[in-house]
Amino acid sequence: MKKILSLVLIAVVTLALAACGKKDDKTITVGASPAPHAEILEKAKPILEKKGYDLKIKKINDYTTPNKLLDKGEIDANFFQHTPYLKKESEDKGYKIESAGDVHLEPMAVYSKKYKKLKDLPDGAIIYVSNNPAEQGRFLKFFVDEGLIKLKKGVKIQDATFKDITENKKHLKFNHQQSAEYLPKIYQNQDADAVIINSNFAIDQKLSPKKDSIALEKPENNPYSNLVAVQKGHKDDKKVKELMKALQSKEIKDFINKKYDGAVVPAK
């Protein structure tokens, strides 16, 4: 009799756990930066609800916690970073996480009160950029694309540094002593020939990356597109695929274009 009761109890517990598993399979918990990431996820909620999924958004206002939580399995995914950052974090901290796909780009832009195009910059022009070493390649890409500078052969743009410049046709000088938040003030004071400013700081100063810049990052094949990250081996999970389908849908792309007016653009 005791053996029968034990078997029944095991069966009940097994069914309960299976039921919980099924319920969890329909829940997607994503750690995200408040804006624009969490805002975009909020817009995706009803899309996922139609598919039977409950999207839970955990707002995290720093760049270190989301990957820690994901690596521990405390969230299903995170949404705040681009590929170079994910790569560096994984190398430095041994995280077993990977990209499930790109969603949007927060484009950097070049601003100038003196010139209308990058090619108009004079010989010896001074370009102010932030002191973030992880984005030196990002700054240089503007000038590589315009044919104004060349880099060492074999160097990927996201890994490039100022030391990798092999040809500088206009002898451009890059001042990288300032923090990113001070760059809009340098631009407003006309203290430079050109300034490269992150979108969030540009918007804070009422600058439109789309309308006020002389060069704007392109979303095509851009390594700095913001992605959704998941634990390795889970990017093909059904609920992850449904999440990405929603975030890469026309509805979300239209929302991004309308709400952010060029300060955030859909990834391509």
Side-chain angles (χ1 to χ4, degrees):
M1 188 67 175
K2 285 182 179 179
K3 185 179 281 189
I4 293 171
L5 286 172
S6 296
L7 289 171
V8 170
L9 183 60
I10 290 168
V12 169
V13 171
T14 303
L15 287 170
L17 289 172
C20 287
K22 287 179 182 178
K23 183 180 179 182
D24 288 343
D25 255 0
K26 289 295 184 178
T27 300
I28 311 171
T29 305
V30 183
S33 298
H37 308 79
E39 295 171 350
I40 294 170
L41 287 168
E42 286 288 351
K43 192 67 179 177
K45 262 189 175 183
I47 300 174
L48 287 161
E49 281 176 6
K50 291 177 183 177
K51 297 286 185 177
Y53 292 93
D54 178 20
L55 176 61
K56 295 189 182 299
I57 304 164
K58 185 178 179 66
K59 294 181 183 179
I60 305 169
N61 204 17
D62 70 71
Y63 291 161
T64 56
T65 304
N67 281 338
K68 284 182 183 177
L69 294 179
L70 179 59
D71 190 61
K72 290 178 181 178
E74 294 180 23
I75 53 178
D76 296 308
N78 68 41
F79 181 30
F80 77 102
Q81 64 193 318
H82 51 53
T83 297
Y85 184 84
L86 173 60
K87 181 182 176 183
K88 186 97 170 67
E89 279 272 280
S90 298
E91 288 174 353
D92 292 349
K93 298 172 183 175
Y95 291 148
K96 303 297 182 184
I97 55 182
E98 63 183 341
S99 172
D102 295 339
V103 179
H104 74 267
L105 173 71
E106 296 170 29
M108 270 187 179
V110 185
Y111 300 82
S112 177
K113 286 186 176 288
K114 302 175 183 180
Y115 308 101
K116 293 184 177 180
K117 297 178 181 178
L118 289 181
K119 287 186 176 179
D120 294 339
L121 292 171
D123 191 82
I126 298 174
I127 296 97
Y128 275 72
V129 302
S130 83
N131 58 4
N132 181 357
E135 294 195 309
Q136 288 184 11
R138 194 175 188 184
F139 307 143
L140 292 171
K141 190 175 189 303
F142 288 105
F143 306 95
V144 171
D145 289 348
E146 283 293 328
L148 297 176
I149 63 173
K150 289 185 179 180
L151 303 176
K152 289 178 185 176
K153 286 184 179 180
V155 175
K156 292 181 180 179
I157 195 68
Q158 61 262 40
D159 300 324
T161 70
F162 298 126
K163 292 179 180 178
D164 293 316
I165 299 173
T166 57
E167 187 177 328
N168 187 345
K169 291 182 179 180
K170 290 195 172 187
H171 307 98
L172 303 174
K173 298 173 183 177
F174 295 92
N175 185 314
H176 51 99
Q177 306 303 314
Q178 301 291 332
S179 297
E181 63 267 27
Y182 291 110
L183 296 176
K185 185 179 287 186
I186 292 171
Y187 165 71
Q188 297 292 1
N189 292 341
Q190 303 185 46
D191 292 335
D193 294 301
V195 186
I196 301 179
I197 306 175
N198 295 76
S199 277
N200 56 321
F201 294 116
I203 296 165
D204 284 343
Q205 297 300 315
K206 311 301 180 187
L207 289 171
S208 166
K210 188 176 179 180
K211 298 173 184 175
D212 298 323
S213 69
I214 64 170
L216 182 66
E217 270 187 324
K218 297 174 183 177
E220 291 85 3
N221 302 313
N222 192 308
Y224 299 99
S225 291
N226 281 214
L227 56 88
V228 171
V230 296
Q231 286 187 326
K232 279 193 174 179
H234 289 276
K235 67 179 181 180
D236 291 324
D237 288 0
K238 188 175 180 182
K239 66 180 180 180
V240 174
K241 282 184 167 294
E242 289 295 342
L243 173 65
M244 295 313 303
K245 194 182 294 183
L247 290 174
Q248 293 172 342
S249 67
K250 183 179 184 301
E251 186 175 338
I252 294 299
K253 288 179 180 179
D254 289 345
F255 167 75
I256 290 172
N257 286 326
K258 184 177 180 181
K259 181 174 178 63
Y260 302 106
D261 191 30
V264 180
V265 295
K268 293 183 180 179

